[in-house]
Each structure stands twice: as C-alpha cells, then as structure tokens.
Amino acid sequence: MNSKNASRYAGRAYDAYRENNPKLAKDILEAMEKGGISEEKIVYYMRKTLRERIAEAGRAKLDGNMSAYARIVGELRNDGFDREWVVDAVDGWVSKLESAAKEKADGKTKEFKESLEEITDSGADQEWAEDAVNRLADSQKKRPANDSDDEE
C-alpha cells in the first residue's frame, strides 16, 4: 500500500460504512495502517472522499441536474450526515466557484488561481471547474447591476 492508492482504499472504506458493513471498513482501515499509512493520512483521505461527494453534488446543482443533486444529498443524509449540513456544505462549495468567477472578472489573477486550486483539490475536475467559473463569470457580466432594491 502506498499513498497513491490510499485514497482509493479510503473510498472503499467509506463505501463499506455507507453500506452498513463496518467490519469490512475496519478491515480496510487496518490494512491501510499495516501498509504504513498513518492515522492522520487515513482521516485526510476519508475527508477527501466526503469532499468529493460534496463537489459532485455541487457540480450537479450548477449544471442544473437537480435529480442528481437531490440523490447525492439524500445519500449523504442516509450516511448519517445532517441534511442541512450537507446542503450548507454544497452551497459553500458553489460559493467558492462564484467567488472564483468574481475574482476572474475583477482581474485578481493570484486570488483566482488560489481559489481554482482549492476547488480542484476538493474534488472538481480542472477542465470542468474552469468551464464552470467561465460560465459564472459570463453570467455575472450579463446580470444587470441591481441599483434599485428600494420598492416604490
């Protein structure tokens, strides 16, 4: 076992927990430890798997695939996570993309690159993330400034 495949094993352990098979999950995690993966790294890879699921839900939401979004949120809820927490996590991930789009539109290159790296580190494909940021930046440009929030 090495760090290259540790993420895959952590994903399998996560799936075993999801499928209510804690013995298999425990066996996988013990094999990881015996293979030289530290407990801290195991926790990191387990969290990464969860971040990837949050990113997957965020991608579905941004792409307008609300049935996939609802399915993933439901799966995570069934995994024992609070529905409100999951929705907030997805919304936070989407907000990161929106912030990156604003940074790009404002010409903040350094901040934009850092935000894009954070987004891809959390489970988004580089090409998809760049395309999503471009689409969001374009929609922000087309959106008229809302100067008159006052009702008359």
Side-chain angles (χ1 to χ4, degrees):
M1 168 124 10
N2 59 44
S3 60
K4 288 183 181 180
N5 61 12
S7 182
R8 182 169 42 100
Y9 279 93
R12 287 186 181 176
Y14 179 85
D15 289 341
Y17 278 122
R18 281 185 40 207
E19 295 162 2
N20 201 23
N21 192 344
K23 182 187 179 331
L24 176 59
K26 183 180 177 196
D27 291 346
I28 292 169
L29 296 175
E30 285 176 357
M32 290 176 74
E33 285 181 6
K34 287 179 184 172
I37 307 299
S38 70
E39 186 176 339
E40 293 81 22
K41 279 291 189 186
I42 292 171
V43 169
Y44 167 80
Y45 289 122
M46 292 290 284
R47 285 183 180 155
K48 183 176 185 220
T49 299
L50 180 57
R51 285 193 310 266
E52 289 169 353
R53 297 287 289 153
I54 295 296
E56 183 181 358
R59 286 191 304 268
K61 185 176 183 179
L62 280 172
D63 289 342
N65 188 345
M66 297 312 284
S67 63
Y69 166 75
R71 177 184 49 78
I72 296 164
V73 169
E75 289 172 356
L76 290 169
R77 189 182 57 76
N78 291 339
D79 291 348
F81 296 101
D82 179 73
R83 184 186 186 288
E84 187 176 323
W85 181 88
V86 172
V87 169
D88 287 348
V90 172
D91 289 346
W93 190 85
V94 170
S95 289
K96 286 181 190 176
L97 279 166
E98 291 169 339
S99 294
K102 183 168 178 11
E103 291 163 354
K104 181 176 182 175
D106 292 346
K108 297 180 179 176
T109 306
K110 181 181 177 202
E111 293 88 345
F112 165 68
K113 286 183 179 181
E114 289 171 356
S115 293
L116 193 60
E117 184 177 331
E118 185 178 342
I119 292 163
T120 56
D121 284 350
S122 69
D125 173 72
Q126 178 82 24
E127 185 177 330
W128 182 91
E130 289 175 0
D131 181 58
V133 166
N134 288 334
R135 283 184 287 140
L136 286 168
D138 288 345
S139 71
Q140 288 173 357
K141 287 179 194 172
K142 292 176 186 173
R143 204 176 298 153
N146 196 1
D147 294 326
S148 57
D149 283 343
D150 301 341
E151 293 184 24
E152 295 183 25

